[in-house]
Each structure stands twice: as structure tokens, then as C-alpha cells.
Amino acid sequence: MRSVAIVGLGWFGLPLARDLRNLGWEVKGSKRTQEGVEEMRLWRLEAYQLQLDPEINADPDDLIALLSVDSLVVNIPPSDYFFDAESYTQGIENLVNEALLCGVKHIIFISSTSVLPMQTGQFDEETQPPFSPLYEIEQMLFTLQDIDVDIIRFGGLIGNDRHPVHSMSGRTYQQGNSPVNLVHLEDCSRAVQSLLETQGGHRLYHLVAPQHPTRVDYYQAMAEKFAEKAPHFECSEEDLQRIIVADKICRELDFVYQYPNPYTM
């Protein structure tokens, strides 16, 4: 049976784990607290406590059990763990080194399109990002030898129980004419499944829905849909026209977005 460990069973990691288990994978995962571990076990998931400080804080036997898998998905956003970039990058590097010692053959790192330039333009996987902790980790991973490495950069995440319009209600924002770069949780899970099933070499993909309505049009429509007070946007002809191009995964892995239109997310 194919096996995978997901470090970070959060809003994305837990649904991913359940999807993979339903597909026949042996799935393990980690949470930062023992309470979180117990919650995961209620979902009948094999879970272990692990925290990066940036040293690995975990029971040695638990760490070996967690990382005794074919593939590892690293799903740890910087803001969830560390206050400084150096600690974050060191923590991820420590985790990767332990995975290599345990014989992991495939690493998938969940990154973000926030690494790309915040300026007008269309940005694909060939774009050179400015320096950031996430980009530093990406570069570190691509130096690894004799192991398959995939990096996937998600756009803004939307799911059935998570939509940014709820926290935007009634507030005022700039850049109303800028396009959105969003992706649905289910497409994210399916994309990671595709990477796990077609591993090979070092690969980088973006994952963003191909349609990009303006922020003002989109969030005002979503406010009406969810019965929220509409956010106010200041619009200008100078607003950034920043579009993340994310069709490489479609061309190379025959991936099809189930939610190409943000209005249906």
C-alpha cells in the first residue's frame, strides 16, 4: 500500500488526508498539540504530535513512525509557526533532513503564489521571485539529490466553510480593479493527488483558477450571495493587474480545474 505523511493536518491537510485515505493510501499526519492529535484520531487518522521550534519537538519513536512513508507532504504556512524567517526556514530544513534519514522518496512542499512579484504582469512558473522565506525553502528543496521533489504554489484558498468575504464585511479596501487569484480546496486536494501519483524529478506548479474577475465585482457579488455587508473598494486605473498563470499542471499532468470560475466556489 502506498503511504504518505502530511505534516500539518489543518484546514487543507485534514481534507487531503481523508481524500487520500478514501483512495486507498496509508495516511499519517501531525498536529502541534496533543489535543490536536486526539482530534485527528477521532477521524480515525494515524496522528502524532510534532512541533518545530525550529528544532524538531517530537517523541523520537513517534517521529520515526510518522516519517516511515513513501511520500511526505509539508503543509506548514510561515504565519502558523514562526515569528521570523530564519526560524521558519531552519525548521523546514530540519524536518526535511529527518525525512531523508527515514528514507522518504518523495517530498511535496505546499507553497504560495505570494512568493511572486506584487506588481502588474502575468506570472508563470518561469518567473523569478524576489527573496522570501518560502522561496528560500523552494530553492533548498530543489538542491536535494536522489529524491523526487514537487513544489505547488496555491493561490488564495476558498472552501465550503471558508471564504474571505466573511472577514471583509463592511470594510474598505484598495485595488478594487485588481484581478483575484483564487483556488478551491477541492482542486488543491486533487492536484496533490496528481503529484503523488505521477512523481518524477523536480517539478514546480502554480494552482490558481483560470478566471480572474476584479476584486470589486467578485467580493460584492459574494457578499450578496452570503448575505454579508458588502466591502467597499477604492478603484483606480492604476490598480495592479497581477495575474497568476497556472495552466502548466493542466498541460503536463492532464489536470482539469473543477472550479475554474471563482463565482462558483
Side-chain angles (χ1 to χ4, degrees):
M1 179 183 294
R2 301 170 296 179
S3 57
V4 59
I6 303 171
V7 174
L9 290 171
W11 184 81
F12 170 64
L14 175 56
L16 174 64
R18 295 167 64 187
D19 289 345
L20 291 172
R21 184 179 60 185
N22 291 339
L23 290 171
W25 285 75
E26 176 189 352
V27 182
K28 308 176 184 181
S30 74
K31 294 288 286 186
R32 296 180 64 191
T33 67
Q34 189 59 37
E35 292 79 7
V37 169
E38 297 301 328
E39 181 184 357
M40 293 303 102
R41 289 174 179 170
L42 292 176
W43 289 103
R44 299 182 180 179
L45 287 171
E46 183 178 341
Y48 300 93
Q49 185 177 0
L50 182 150
Q51 188 167 354
L52 304 178
D53 292 324
E55 292 74 22
I56 295 178
N57 185 357
D59 179 274
D61 291 337
D62 286 353
L63 185 62
I64 292 173
L66 174 67
L67 296 178
S68 295
V69 290
D70 302 317
S71 301
L72 171 67
V73 178
V74 181
N75 178 44
I76 309 177
S79 59
D80 284 352
Y81 264 79
F82 304 110
F83 294 102
D84 64 272
E86 184 177 352
S87 293
Y88 177 69
T89 54
Q90 187 60 57
I92 300 298
E93 187 170 349
N94 290 341
L95 176 62
V96 168
N97 288 337
E98 286 294 329
L100 295 176
L101 290 174
C102 289
V104 171
K105 300 300 183 184
H106 182 202
I107 294 177
I108 298 175
F109 180 68
I110 307 299
S111 187
S112 168
T113 57
S114 64
V115 303
L116 297 165
M118 292 300 298
Q119 61 192 47
T120 293
Q122 295 194 13
F123 304 106
D124 62 13
E125 290 84 352
E126 298 299 318
T127 301
Q128 176 70 41
F131 175 81
S132 68
L134 280 178
Y135 185 57
E136 183 178 359
I137 291 169
E138 292 179 0
Q139 295 300 102
M140 178 273 293
L141 289 169
F142 278 156
T143 66
L144 299 178
Q145 302 295 319
D146 302 320
I147 185 170
D148 293 324
V149 174
D150 286 314
I151 293 166
I152 186 162
R153 296 170 176 163
F154 290 165
L157 288 170
I158 302 289
N160 292 334
D161 60 347
R162 171 172 168 172
H163 200 291
V165 76
H166 297 301
S167 62
M168 299 169 69
S169 177
R171 298 185 179 184
T172 299
Y173 295 91
Q174 307 291 323
Q175 302 288 328
N177 283 331
S178 294
V180 299
N181 292 280
L182 301 173
V183 64
H184 195 276
L185 173 71
E186 292 180 17
D187 279 329
C188 295
S189 180
R190 291 176 52 255
V192 172
Q193 293 167 33
S194 295
L195 297 180
L196 287 167
E197 293 168 358
T198 62
Q199 55 190 280
H202 291 179
R203 302 178 296 186
L204 169 66
Y205 295 110
H206 294 167
L207 203 72
V208 175
Q211 297 182 29
H212 305 270
T214 64
R215 299 179 74 211
V216 61
D217 290 343
Y218 177 70
Y219 286 113
Q220 289 184 350
M222 291 300 99
E224 181 177 355
K225 176 180 178 179
F226 291 109
E228 294 280 4
K229 184 178 180 181
H232 174 72
F233 284 93
E234 297 181 2
C235 300
S236 167
E237 293 182 358
E238 304 301 319
D239 288 350
L240 295 181
Q241 298 302 300
R242 179 177 181 267
I243 291 179
I244 309 303
V245 179
D247 59 355
K248 178 183 174 185
I249 192 170
C250 303
R251 299 194 308 272
E252 295 189 356
L253 301 184
D254 294 326
F255 182 81
V256 178
Y257 286 93
Q258 299 300 301
Y259 294 87
N261 182 354
Y263 287 108
T264 65
M265 292 181 185

